[in-house]
């Protein structure tokens, strides 16, 4: 038995399913999860010492590559001054100012501990500010595990076949209105059915939780216009896309300004951080300046703030996003060319430093229904063929792949060579 298998067996005795986040359990691909021990640059090493080229990147935060010296040093330095104070510190302002500079629609910022907290709080704020209860989300989008957001959700909920989780009372979900991604007509119809009742739209501006599905031209602009017409706030959930699709996030890439933005993952550089922010008049509606309550014992934790600041300071260096774009393009185009060579129908999508591939006859994949038509059994076999060859892809057909600055030509070539072999085996 491998050490990884032993660790999994042991973990299952005290941790449900042996994991602290369901999609890690390989439920989407079958087999036992691989227990990891350390990571460096583009590589992650399992408990038995096997190295993998990593395209999960801790589900997004590790955009500089693992174990980056500047983040590590910033964390050690901050930790030496104390782990948590529960009182304001300069590092919270420093990171908030940097976020506001890089994402100018975020005039004010509130730090939290996860993406889930960011989206939950942003929706509460939008509801409180607008004095309306309903909100619109999109089928296959995932915004964390807040009750009202676990309705037709993507990511692990979708992978496990539970897009509507038991335990969410129907009363809590009844104000959640679900529309079709990339379908503005479905959004207009919903607004027209509930005029004056919709507080906000929350959307992944590039959907990364039903694999990778970018917005069609005009979709995000259309959402902006509909929100303005019906007096609703537009929330971009950039927990995944923030600083990844472009330095200024998807809102910079597609040039659409939301009222509120939610962040997570990269903003913490690998530490548990989320953030939400946006229009000053809306953010000032939050306690203590306004009536909408939101709080956190460890929010703005100084060690986490230091990690986030170091990460964003490195990432903003000129040329980094051009490089990430070129790595992503090489991988997505490479997968497509190799699948064609072996006669395997494949579609690919990409945006900035994220990409997805779909085993499907369809030329394009633009919404949840398209994603559902893909061959998930073929994905599972492909995943395991890649894993055997030391390539760690997200263990679900419903997750995007992430590139990082540590992916060099050597890693790209090795990944494509492994894909060549995997496609040949599947053909
Ligand atoms: N929003 C999006 C778009 C996400 O991808 C995720 C997590 O993957 C979340 C929110 C929830 O973030 P967290 O897992 O940090 O709670």
């Amino acid at each position: 038995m491998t050490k990884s298998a032993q660790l999994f067996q042991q973990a299952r005795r005290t941790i449900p399913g042996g994991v602290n986040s369901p999609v890690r359990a390989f439920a989407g691909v079958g087999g036992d999860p691989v227990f990891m021990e350390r990571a460096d640059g583009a590589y992650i090493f399992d408990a038995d010492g096997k190295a993998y080229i990593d395209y999960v990147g801790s589900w997004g935060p590790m955009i500089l590559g693992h174990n980056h010296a500047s983040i590590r040093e910033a964390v050690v330095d901050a930790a030496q001054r104390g782990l948590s104070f529960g009182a304001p510190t300069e590092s919270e302002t420093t990171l908030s100012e940097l976020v506001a500079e890089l994402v100018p629609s975020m005039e004010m910022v509130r730090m939290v501990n996860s993406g889930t907290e960011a989206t939950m709080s942003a929706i509460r704020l939008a509801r409180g500010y607008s004095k309306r209860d309903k909100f619109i989300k999109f089928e296959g989008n995932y915004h964390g595990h807040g009750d009202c957001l676990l309705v037709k959700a993507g990511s692990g909920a979708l992978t496990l076949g539970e897009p509507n989780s038991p335990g969410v009372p129907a009363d809590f979900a009844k104000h959640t209105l679900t529309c079709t991604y990339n379908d503005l007509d479905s959004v207009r119809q919903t607004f027209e059915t509930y005029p004056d009742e919709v507080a906000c739209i929350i959307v992944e501006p590039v959907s990364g939780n039903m694999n990778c599905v970018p917005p069609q031209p005009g979709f995000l602009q259309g959402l902006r216009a509909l929100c303005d017409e019906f007096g609703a706030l537009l929330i971009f959930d950039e927990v995944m896309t923030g600083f990844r699709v472009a330095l200024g996030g998807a809102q910079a890439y597609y040039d659409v300004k939301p009222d509120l933005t939610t962040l997570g993952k990269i903003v913490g550089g690998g530490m548990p951080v989320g953030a939400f922010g946006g229009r000053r008049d809306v953010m000032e509606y939050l306690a203590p300046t306004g009536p909408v309550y939101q709080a956190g014992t460890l929010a703005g934790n100084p060690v986490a703030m230091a990690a986030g600041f170091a990460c964003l300071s490195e990432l903003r260096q000129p040329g980094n996003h051009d490089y990430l774009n070129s790595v992503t393009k090489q991988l997505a185009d490479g997968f497509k060319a190799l699948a064609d060579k072996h006669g395997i129908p494949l579609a690919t999508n990409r945006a900035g430093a994220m990409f997805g591939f779909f085993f499907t006859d369809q030329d394009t994949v633009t919404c949840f229904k398209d994603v559902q038509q893909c061959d998930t059994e073929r994905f599972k076999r492909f995943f395991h063929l890649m894993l055997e060859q030391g390539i760690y892809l997200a263990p679900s057909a419903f997750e995007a792949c992430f590139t990082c600055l540590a992916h060099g030509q050597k890693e790209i070539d090795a990944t494509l060579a492994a894909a060549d072999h995997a496609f040949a085996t599947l053909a």
Side-chain angles (χ1 to χ4, degrees):
M1 195 190 242
T2 61
K3 186 170 172 205
S4 185
Q6 277 170 29
L7 290 172
F8 184 47
Q9 209 174 56
Q10 184 185 353
R12 276 190 297 182
R13 286 187 214 121
T14 43
I15 303 173
V19 293
N20 280 307
S21 195
V23 80
R24 293 181 200 166
F26 277 22
V29 288
D32 286 354
V34 183
F35 270 55
M36 298 301 180
E37 204 166 70
R38 68 185 181 89
D40 200 52
Y43 295 86
I44 190 159
F45 299 84
D46 73 16
D48 297 282
K50 178 171 171 176
Y52 304 82
I53 300 172
D54 183 16
Y55 291 101
V56 180
S58 187
W59 301 93
M62 312 315 293
I63 196 158
L64 305 183
H66 289 284
N67 198 17
H68 195 279
S70 45
I71 300 182
R72 194 177 58 236
E73 284 159 17
V75 164
V76 170
D77 180 57
Q80 279 167 344
R81 278 175 277 121
L83 293 183
S84 180
F85 309 125
T89 57
E90 187 180 355
S91 63
E92 295 158 74
T93 312
T94 314
L95 181 56
S96 298
E97 283 176 352
L98 180 52
V99 167
E101 181 192 337
L102 300 181
V103 187
S105 74
M106 298 179 75
E107 294 168 2
M108 299 194 92
V109 182
R110 169 72 47 97
M111 293 292 168
V112 291
N113 302 295
S114 67
T116 294
E117 278 184 62
T119 57
M120 240 170 52
S121 308
I123 292 212
R124 183 182 308 137
L125 177 60
R127 284 169 152 171
Y129 179 84
S130 64
K131 304 184 176 56
R132 298 172 173 187
D133 287 340
K134 297 196 187 301
F135 73 91
I136 292 174
K137 76 175 284 290
F138 293 92
E139 184 166 25
N141 276 194
Y142 177 70
H143 304 289
H145 59 94
D147 278 344
C148 66
L149 287 159
L150 280 182
V151 178
K152 296 192 183 172
S155 189
L158 177 60
T159 306
L160 267 70
E162 296 285 6
N164 307 298
S165 176
V168 177
D171 271 1
F172 287 21
K174 75 178 180 201
H175 296 303
T176 306
L177 308 169
T178 313
C179 292
T180 305
Y181 197 74
N182 275 330
D183 178 357
L184 286 174
D185 287 344
S186 74
V187 183
R188 173 169 287 283
Q189 269 169 27
T190 305
F191 269 123
E192 284 174 354
T193 310
Y194 302 101
D196 307 323
E197 288 185 69
V198 177
C200 62
I201 294 180
I202 185 164
V203 62
E204 286 184 66
V206 175
S207 184
N209 286 294
M210 50 175 175
N211 205 316
C212 178
V213 180
Q216 293 290 96
F219 177 60
L220 298 176
Q221 288 80 356
L223 295 182
R224 177 69 274 174
L226 283 166
C227 281
D228 292 344
E229 184 180 337
F230 288 92
L233 296 177
L234 180 60
I235 305 177
F236 275 5
D237 180 356
E238 298 231 39
V239 167
M240 188 182 281
T241 54
F243 314 110
R244 173 168 289 286
V245 164
L247 186 60
Q251 53 196 274
Y253 194 84
Y254 295 102
D255 195 20
V256 177
K257 191 176 173 188
D259 300 295
L260 293 175
T261 299
T262 55
L263 298 172
K265 302 188 191 275
I266 292 172
V267 74
M271 297 292 281
V273 182
F276 65 103
R279 272 171 43 190
R280 183 173 297 278
D281 60 323
V282 182
M283 290 301 289
E284 282 181 339
Y285 216 70
L286 264 187
T289 42
V292 173
Y293 194 70
Q294 186 280 330
T297 299
L298 291 173
N301 173 271
V303 182
M305 295 296 100
F309 186 78
C311 179
L312 294 184
S313 303
E314 283 290 332
L315 187 59
R316 72 179 304 183
Q317 297 310 314
N320 278 345
H321 281 83
D322 289 343
Y323 179 74
L324 288 164
N325 249 310
S326 82
V327 170
T328 312
K329 181 170 174 3
Q330 279 191 69
L331 287 164
D333 291 355
F335 273 35
K336 173 69 182 147
L338 291 166
D340 284 354
K341 172 176 142 190
H342 294 291
I344 297 198
L346 192 85
T348 59
N349 279 334
R350 67 184 171 89
M354 59 196 276
F355 71 101
F357 58 95
F358 307 84
F359 290 99
T360 179
D361 289 326
Q362 307 161 98
D363 289 338
T364 55
V365 177
T366 63
C367 67
F368 182 64
K369 215 188 302 149
D370 295 347
V371 174
Q372 274 182 313
Q373 281 166 24
C374 297
D375 186 343
T376 48
E377 286 309 311
R378 201 167 225 184
F379 174 83
K380 287 180 194 175
R381 291 180 57 213
F382 183 79
F383 170 85
H384 282 289
L385 287 164
M386 295 295 274
L387 190 70
E388 279 163 23
Q389 297 176 87
I391 312 293
Y392 192 67
L393 300 171
S396 164
F398 302 118
E399 302 285 352
C401 298
F402 298 128
T403 49
C404 75
L405 289 170
H407 288 131
Q409 201 55 50
K410 181 174 139 218
E411 287 76 28
I412 297 169
D413 292 345
T415 304
L416 293 178
D420 194 12
H421 174 74
F423 286 131
T425 311
L426 290 179

